[in-house]
Amino acid sequence: MSEKNAPSVWQGFKAFLMRGNVIDLAVAVVIGAAFTKIVNSVVDGVINPLVGAFGTQSLDGYSSCLKGPCTGTGDSATGVRILWGSVLGATLTFLITAAVVYFLMVLPMSKYLARQEARRKAKESAEEVIEVSELEVLKEIRDALVAQRGSGHDRS
């Protein structure tokens, strides 16, 4: 196999980078990182204080002892603990993120696209009506010309 026929690794990498979806992915990662900060601040500033009104302010403190005795925290903890508070906190963060993305990004964009599609269809149907009426006028002209020619042949 000659080297001139096969693309080089560098050319393949360059083609990969020049695809539009790679740039879109990079933008999505940057926006996602910034959006994570917003969601974390909502969880820390709003959700955790609301949970704190009913118990502890941090959900990470909620756990159950699977195999005792469960004493201490961190590296000095003994026993086997299930940290369900951390899972609950991560689940709430996910649900909040999904809700914000849906209600602030997906839903408005889908409504906008639906309006655009409705406008496009309305424009196409209006063009069809115009085309149909032009066609009808042309048929009437043709019929009139045929009738006129037919009446001219009868006189000869």
Side-chain angles (χ1 to χ4, degrees), residues 119-136:
R119 287 181 187 150
R120 185 186 64 77
K121 285 184 179 180
K123 185 177 179 183
E124 285 179 359
S125 66
E127 288 174 359
E128 281 182 19
V129 168
I130 291 171
E131 289 176 9
V132 168
S133 62
E134 288 176 359
L135 186 61
E136 292 297 323

Side-chain angles (χ1 to χ4, degrees), residues 2 10 37-38 55 66 70 78 80 83 104-105 110 124 133 137 145 154:
S2 68
W10 178 249
K37 291 180 183 179
I38 293 171
L66 187 61
C70 292
T78 61
V80 178
L83 304 174
L104 294 182
M105 295 178 177
S110 64
E124 285 179 359
S133 62
V137 169
L145 288 172
D154 290 342

Side-chain angles (χ1 to χ4, degrees), residues 23-79:
I23 302 300
D24 293 341
L25 182 61
V27 169
V29 167
V30 170
I31 299 255
F35 190 69
T36 300
K37 291 180 183 179
I38 293 171
V39 170
N40 287 339
S41 67
V42 168
V43 169
D44 292 340
V46 177
I47 302 300
N48 285 346
L50 288 174
V51 171
F54 300 105
T56 180
Q57 191 166 1
S58 175
L59 291 174
D60 294 336
Y62 291 109
S63 65
S64 296
C65 187
L66 187 61
K67 183 177 179 185
C70 292
T71 59
T73 58
D75 291 337
S76 64
T78 61

Side-chain angles (χ1 to χ4, degrees), residues 97-126:
T97 304
V100 169
V101 167
Y102 180 75
F103 289 114
L104 294 182
M105 295 178 177
V106 174
L107 189 62
M109 183 57 80
S110 64
K111 285 184 178 181
Y112 172 76
L113 292 175
R115 281 194 306 262
Q116 291 295 96
E117 183 66 19
R119 287 181 187 150
R120 185 186 64 77
K121 285 184 179 180
K123 185 177 179 183
E124 285 179 359
S125 66

